[in-house]
Structure formats: structure tokens, C-alpha cells
Amino acid sequence: MKNIGVIDIGSNSVRLLLAEITAYDSFKIITELKEYVRLGEGFDDNQNLTEEKISDTIQVLNMYKNFCNSFEGTEIIATATEAVRKAKNQSYFLDKIKSSTGIEIKVLSGEKEAYYDYFASINSLNIVDGLIMDIGGASTELIWVENRNLKECISLPFGAITLTNKFNLQNAITPDQEKDLKNFFVQSFSAIPWLKEVKASALVGIGGSIRNIAKISKKRNNYPLDLIHNYSIAAEEVSSIYNNVRTKSTEQRKKIKGLSKDRADIFLGAVSAVDTLMDICKIKKLIISRNGLREGVLFSTLYKDKKLDDLLSHSLNNILTNNSVNLKHSLHIYKLTKSLFMQLKPLHRLDDYLINVVKTAAILHDIGNNISYYYHYKHSSYVILNSTIYGITPQECIMSAFAASYHRSDNLPSSFDNFKPLLDKLDIYSIKVVGILIRIAENLDKDLSGSIEDVNCTIEDDLIIIKAISKHPQDFLIKQAQGVSDSFKELFGKKLYIV
């Protein structure tokens, strides 16, 4: 069993991502650690990193090394970005780190940093064409994605810390300061020759400052889902958040719900950069990528730099691998549920856009058994809501969670009320349809044998006939599935007959 610890020495913080490699290309996150060192503020007049900042970095790295060493067979991959890139005493810094901690640091070029951002995003979000922006403490990476490929990228020498210091953004800014800041961004972005060619409906945002935009938005909107990956914010709301922040001092910003107190002093420049870029490129929404440099390094190591073709299947397989789940049964329930869904489309009148919900809910319908068999369908809902599942939207995640819970009960759990504001009547109906079909499928495989290989559905005026396809008689399983008939009739208004 192998573990990978990815250390990112950034201009604002030093972070550790520790992952257990559980199979060929599957992993489980053990922990994430973060310490604010702010190397980007640690330069003397000669552009050398100060001894104080070097000492702080060594202390953090020794702590991370000790943590990693407590897990047998851990490989540490350590990287450094803009602050170390531009340090005049870079060699001295790297040698002192190596002699004091034994950790060898790889200083990434701006292009390599952008590549890892790209690789993390493309393997966790359904991006085909678009623009990615990663705002760090002292640099900003822009990546143009076309047909899932990295077409162009650039690393700009400014970030949340350097912008704050350059334009004195700790407090509410004057009109002249704001004009200077906006002009700086317009000039910087306009100097990128390929940027004007980008046609993107969404900006994918990476980095702590951009995640804080999302956290503020979630607090504003009482958004009930804890997960932030793939969260979407309209351009108008990004502008509203910027306009709110620019009128406040650092102390006043600390009171903004969702904004980290550790980032309140350096947040304004970052949100202004995002707002200006979206305006220049006429981008309508910001999508948050929870994954960035560290995940990019992890994915690159695991996948050997090969892009995943099916994010959802890979993500679900990763979850199944890391939990005690009957894989054969889970996949068979998905096969039967999908067959029912497709054949009964004239009955339920739902389109193929729901297939991700069918897949996620069916495959993970029993995942709650890892908490407890009793009320496991409720636990399954909780696990789905709190698992990072790549390849589906937050809306699909919510619907999958409650469809999984509905496979054993005609009553949605009390937690469903928290999510009602995000769902319309069609969504709620869809949840029940998928849940009922999973219930039929599960009963047709109650003995976990897979003996009922498929189904054949016939739709009549007031009757639905489902024929179980099996090499041998399966009267018991058919009887179990027939027990769903009352719930089926209540939902669809038709009798159900399973043979």
C-alpha cells in the first residue's frame, strides 16, 4: 500500500495533500494541511527570501514530513511556485531546505504550474472548451482549454499578496485606486495575444481567493450543499461581491460571512482580477474547481498524464474501491435500472439528461451500509451528498442522493427539506421515478446472484408489464419485485405486473 504526499510551497501558504493509493488509479484523501507562511511578503530589498521566512518554511516542512512518515511507504513530492521562482537566493533556499528537512523541492515554471492546474481541472470537471484562472499569492495562471486540450497558457507575475502591496488594498479603496487597479488588469490581460480569441461561457476558478468568492456566495444564498467543487456563480454576483468588498477595511471584511479572516487583507485584488477578466472576456459565470496544483500533481502521477475519458465512471469506481461495497451487485443494479429507465420513457416522460442521476444513485444506492445497515438508504443519501463525485453537477448530486434514499422508502428523509429551494416539481418527480426503478431492480437481484440478466418492458393503456429475463425460473425474486406495485401505481397511475 502506497501513499503520496504532495507539498505545495506557495506565495501565501504551504500546503500538504496526503493520499492513500488504494488501487491502480484509485486513491483516498487522508488529510489536507495548510499553514500560512506568506513567502510572498518575505523579501528583503535585494529580492532575497529572508531568514525568518526560510525558518518558518523549514518548521512547516518538518511537521509535514513527520506527518507523512507516520504512514508507511509515503512518497513526498514537493513543489514551489512564484515566490521561490523569483527569489534571488533560490539556490540557498533550496539547499537549506534539503539539509534541514531532507526534502528536495522542485521549482515549477509558470507553464508547468498552469499544466497541473489544467490537468486537475480537466480530470474533475466536464470541461470541453473554456478558460481556467488560478490566482495564487504572487502569480496568476490563465489556461485556454479547447476540445479538452491545453491550447495556450501563461503565468502572470501578480497575485493576491503582490496586488495588495502594489496598490495598498488593505482598506477601502478610493476611486483613483480602483481606476489604477482596473487599468492594470486591462493592460495585463490585453497584452495576452490569444486571450481575445477565447470563447468561453464559463471561467473555471482555482485558488483560495476564488474559493472564498464561492463561500461568500453560498452564505448569501443559504446554499445547503457543503461541497464547493463545481459550484457556479453568475458574473453579476461576482461583481456584487467585489463592490461590497471594495468599500470595506480589512477589519470590516473579516465580518463578511464566508470570507476567511486569514485572507481578508489580500482578497480585494483577487476578486477584482476575476471580475475584470470576466468582463473583458464577456464570461457569464464562474465555476469553482476545488482541485488545483496539488491534485494536478497527484493525478499526473497516478494517471501518467493521460486524461480520463469518463469522469463519472472513474469517480464512482474510486468511491466503490474505497468502501466495502458489493461491486458486482452495484453495477448490476445500475444495468437493470438503466434498462427500466430507457424502456419506460413513454411512461415517465423524462429525458436522457437524467442518466447521470440514474447511474450515480443506482451504483451508490447501498453505500450507506458502511455506516450501518439499519436505515442504510438514509446513510447512502448522506454519503452521496458529502462525497466529491466528479462528472456531475451539484444539482445532479442532490437528486442522486435522494433517489438513492427513495429506493427503500416512499418518504424522503427530513434532510430533504433543506434542499427543496434548489429543486422544482419536475426534479422531485424525477427523484421518485429513479428511486422506484432502483427499488424494482434491487428486488430483482435480492439474492445478489445477477441471475435476472435484464428486463423487457411492455406499456399498455393501464398496465405496465415487466418481463424478467433469466435462464432459470425466478419466482421468488419476481414476487419480491411485485411488492413495489402499490408505490408504482401511486406514482404513475398504472398497474405493475412483473413476470
Side-chain angles (χ1 to χ4, degrees), residues 199-483:
K199 302 290 189 250
S201 60
L203 175 68
V204 175
I206 297 173
S209 293
I210 293 182
R211 286 195 297 274
N212 267 250
I213 297 174
K215 290 175 182 178
I216 293 170
S217 170
K218 288 174 69 176
K219 287 293 184 181
R220 280 180 161 197
N221 298 305
N222 295 315
Y223 189 76
L225 195 62
D226 287 334
L227 299 175
I228 204 166
H229 189 71
N230 211 6
Y231 181 76
S232 178
I233 312 165
E236 293 79 10
E237 187 175 7
V238 174
S239 294
S240 174
I241 291 171
Y242 163 69
N243 287 325
N244 181 37
V245 173
R246 70 183 175 85
T247 63
K248 292 179 168 54
S249 67
T250 292
E251 289 306 311
Q252 290 172 322
R253 291 175 205 161
K254 289 180 179 179
K255 297 177 183 178
I256 297 175
K257 292 181 180 179
L259 179 56
S260 167
K261 290 180 173 58
D262 292 321
R263 203 173 287 274
D265 60 330
I266 61 170
F267 180 65
L268 178 57
V271 69
S272 179
V274 175
D275 183 50
T276 306
L277 180 65
M278 294 182 74
D279 183 52
I280 289 173
C281 295
K282 296 180 172 52
I283 296 174
K284 299 299 184 184
K285 64 180 177 179
L286 172 67
I287 295 176
I288 306 303
S289 174
R290 175 66 180 77
N291 297 334
L293 171 60
R294 294 174 302 285
E295 290 79 11
V297 172
L298 175 63
F299 294 170
S300 176
T301 304
L302 280 182
Y303 309 152
K304 304 189 187 315
D305 289 309
K306 182 180 179 182
K307 297 191 295 286
L308 298 175
D309 294 325
D310 186 341
L311 300 188
L312 180 56
S313 292
H314 186 273
S315 187
L316 293 175
N317 183 68
N318 194 61
I319 294 171
L320 294 175
T321 300
N322 295 329
N323 291 275
S324 300
V325 177
N326 187 318
L327 179 60
K328 179 182 175 182
H329 173 67
S330 296
L331 295 178
H332 193 60
I333 294 304
Y334 168 52
K335 175 186 175 181
L336 294 178
T337 304
K338 183 180 179 182
S339 184
L340 288 165
F341 180 84
M342 299 303 290
Q343 293 185 58
L344 294 176
K345 284 173 71 174
L347 173 68
H348 57 65
R349 298 181 180 179
L350 297 172
D351 293 330
D352 290 353
Y353 74 90
L354 271 178
I355 206 65
N356 283 346
V357 174
V358 172
K359 186 172 189 174
T360 304
I363 289 178
L364 299 183
H365 75 285
D366 273 346
I367 195 75
N369 277 327
N370 287 287
I371 299 174
S372 171
Y373 168 76
Y374 301 104
Y375 305 108
H376 71 273
Y377 54 96
K378 294 183 180 180
H379 303 319
S380 294
S381 177
Y382 173 84
V383 172
I384 294 171
L385 286 172
N386 291 278
S387 295
T388 301
I389 303 174
Y390 302 144
I392 61 172
T393 66
Q395 187 88 352
E396 289 171 332
C397 179
I398 293 167
M399 294 175 69
S400 300
F402 291 107
S405 74
Y406 201 76
H407 90 274
R408 279 292 184 96
S409 173
D410 286 339
N411 298 312
L412 290 164
S414 57
S415 58
F416 177 73
D417 291 340
N418 297 327
F419 298 89
K420 266 188 176 179
L422 300 180
L423 304 171
D424 57 28
K425 288 183 179 179
L426 180 61
D427 294 330
I428 296 172
Y429 168 70
S430 301
I431 287 169
K432 293 180 178 180
V433 168
V434 176
I436 283 288
L437 298 184
I438 295 173
R439 198 182 306 180
I440 294 171
E442 186 180 49
N443 280 298
L444 289 174
D445 195 45
K446 199 161 190 174
D447 63 351
L448 310 182
S449 68
S451 54
I452 293 180
E453 299 172 1
D454 204 345
V455 292
N456 187 16
C457 302
T458 302
I459 301 174
E460 298 183 355
D461 289 342
D462 60 350
L463 178 66
I464 305 298
I465 302 171
I466 298 176
K467 178 176 174 55
I469 301 173
S470 177
K471 294 176 182 177
H472 306 287
Q474 299 294 342
D475 294 345
F476 175 76
L477 296 178
I478 289 171
K479 182 179 179 181
Q480 294 295 308
Q482 187 65 46

Side-chain angles (χ1 to χ4, degrees), residues 168-219:
N168 191 25
L169 303 178
Q170 292 89 347
N171 297 303
I173 58 173
T174 66
D176 286 342
Q177 281 178 295
E178 183 176 24
K179 182 179 179 181
D180 290 342
L181 181 63
K182 290 286 187 178
N183 285 340
F184 172 78
F185 290 136
V186 170
Q187 291 173 11
S188 298
F189 296 143
S190 298
I192 303 171
W194 50 263
L195 191 59
K196 62 178 68 72
E197 299 177 39
V198 175
K199 302 290 189 250
S201 60
L203 175 68
V204 175
I206 297 173
S209 293
I210 293 182
R211 286 195 297 274
N212 267 250
I213 297 174
K215 290 175 182 178
I216 293 170
S217 170
K218 288 174 69 176
K219 287 293 184 181

Side-chain angles (χ1 to χ4, degrees), residues 109-142:
S109 66
E111 291 73 21
K112 193 64 174 178
E113 184 177 357
Y115 169 78
Y116 285 133
D117 285 335
Y118 154 78
F119 202 72
S121 298
I122 205 71
N123 287 300
S124 61
L125 291 168
N126 285 322
I127 306 168
V128 178
D129 303 300
L131 185 64
I132 301 172
M133 182 185 205
D134 178 4
I135 301 182
S139 71
T140 295
E141 283 66 48
L142 296 179

